[in-house]
Amino acid sequence: MLSSKTVLKSTFKVAIVAAISCASTPAALARDAAPHAAQAIPLIEANRFTVLVEGAGADVILIPGLGTPRDVWDATRTAFKGSFRLHVVQIRGFGDAAGINAEGTLLAPFVAELAQYIDAEIMTKGKPAPTIIGHSLGGLSALMIGSRHPKLTGKAIIVDALPFIGPIFGAATVDSIRPQAEAMAASIRSAPAVTETNADADPGPNSQAGFLSKSVSGRTAVARWTRLADKKVTAQALYDELVTDVRPELGKITAPLIVLYAEDASVMPMGTADALYAAEYKGAPAARLVRIDDSRHFIMLDQPDRFQVALGAALAE
């Protein structure tokens, strides 16, 4: 039988392979004068991301993960836009043109610009600090904002994300994982373009996307998003994620912290994810850890009903 560490390491490596198979100072923010081509709602344009704002009530920021457009939050938007003012982020290159994200470091500048957005669009208007919800890379971004800009965070809800991914690869420090991170990013940049005639075909349960989502619709969406993501942006975002360690900063998060994480007995022994998340978040002893069973990485796609219930409870705290 494989050890828990081996199973977890294999799980994250498959997630990286799925990415491989795909194809500055923040400036002032400005609103689009006309609706976005694919949306009926105008977007707010920033250098490194765009934001779709809808609904009314307390402000909630939604940040997708690596290679993922804002579409991943569609069901969440439907469920909660009647109760909250949602700010649905999309990193440039994940569903649209890469723009400034095509070159240089991505994660830290993105987090800095998103903090500026929260300050300009919410805080300076006299509103309470928002709840920040992030999945995967978006979860790491939420932890970075919560620890580095605590006054801008009313609550942080993390969805299947770790403050440092290094231990999964046997790396205890950023320096020790850096060579692997460089190699993975290089593999993505050099990967050939993927050409498929049917972008909506089910890639199958044994595909790389199938390892990230259990449902037919989920793995089909993940495969499509991965193919459409800009390779340069994916490579840089992955590298930045791998070499970022927020564990020493968790104690600086003053807002309530809720972590929703997946565990699937078909790919890892039960209790494996419990142990991993407890260890990774021990620097935030007040954090509430919530496991959602029978789900893989994209909890909102695999267990939409359970996810919305758990998210609703976290928002209500």
Side-chain angles (χ1 to χ4, degrees):
M1 180 181 291
L2 293 175
S3 69
S4 297
K5 181 177 179 181
T6 299
V7 172
L8 279 168
K9 186 173 181 180
S10 298
T11 300
F12 276 84
K13 280 191 172 180
V14 169
I16 300 308
V17 171
I20 292 174
S21 68
C22 75
S24 77
T25 300
L29 303 170
R31 293 186 180 276
D32 241 352
H36 189 268
Q39 301 285 352
I41 305 171
L43 299 180
I44 296 177
E45 300 278 351
N47 282 337
R48 296 187 179 274
F49 59 89
T50 61
V51 187
L52 183 154
V53 182
E54 63 181 347
D59 291 281
V60 173
I61 311 292
L62 292 163
I63 315 171
L66 181 69
T68 310
R70 63 172 54 89
D71 305 46
V72 73
W73 296 118
D74 279 355
T76 303
R77 289 170 53 196
T78 299
F80 293 104
K81 66 183 179 181
S83 304
F84 298 93
R85 182 175 181 238
L86 305 178
H87 305 249
V88 194
V89 173
Q90 181 166 293
I91 295 175
R92 293 192 186 277
F94 295 161
D96 54 12
I100 193 175
N101 290 339
E103 303 294 338
T105 302
L106 170 61
L107 182 56
F110 163 69
V111 167
E113 189 171 7
L114 185 54
Q116 182 196 40
Y117 169 86
I118 293 171
D119 187 50
E121 293 291 323
I122 298 173
M123 305 301 292
T124 61
K125 297 180 180 179
K127 303 184 70 178
T131 293
I132 304 177
I133 304 172
H135 172 243
S136 192
L137 177 70
L140 180 61
S141 302
L143 290 173
M144 293 169 71
I145 294 175
S147 60
R148 300 174 186 182
H149 306 277
K151 292 183 179 180
L152 302 182
T153 306
K155 182 184 298 179
I157 303 175
I158 311 303
V159 182
D160 217 50
L162 301 170
F164 181 49
I165 203 172
I168 299 300
F169 295 90
T173 66
V174 167
D175 286 341
S176 60
I177 200 173
R178 198 179 302 278
Q180 295 181 67
E182 291 172 348
M184 292 175 189
S187 295
I188 294 174
R189 294 188 185 100
S190 62
V194 176
T195 56
E196 297 185 35
T197 55
N198 187 355
D200 293 318
D202 176 11
N206 296 320
S207 66
Q208 293 149 357
F211 208 87
L212 299 174
S213 176
K214 299 182 70 171
S215 67
V216 173
S217 59
R219 63 183 180 243
T220 300
V222 171
R224 181 176 65 253
W225 295 334
T226 302
R227 287 194 301 269
L228 294 175
D230 185 280
K231 289 197 299 181
K232 288 184 178 180
V233 179
T234 300
Q236 187 63 52
L238 172 61
Y239 175 82
D240 292 347
E241 180 178 15
L242 289 169
V243 299
T244 298
D245 185 358
V246 186
R247 291 175 301 178
E249 303 177 54
L250 291 177
K252 298 178 182 178
I253 299 175
T254 57
L257 175 61
I258 302 98
V259 182
L260 311 181
Y261 64 97
E263 186 156 62
D264 182 3
S266 69
V267 295
M268 67 177 69
M270 288 301 292
T272 301
D274 294 339
L276 172 67
Y277 275 81
E280 285 279 300
Y281 283 94
K282 66 181 180 181
R288 186 165 73 87
L289 306 182
V290 180
R291 189 183 74 215
I292 299 180
D293 293 333
D294 198 26
S295 178
R296 297 183 184 173
H297 185 51
F298 283 83
I299 304 174
M300 66 287 286
L301 304 182
D302 285 353
Q303 294 294 341
D305 293 338
R306 294 184 196 173
F307 177 73
Q308 302 304 349
V309 169
L311 187 57
L315 286 165
E317 287 186 11

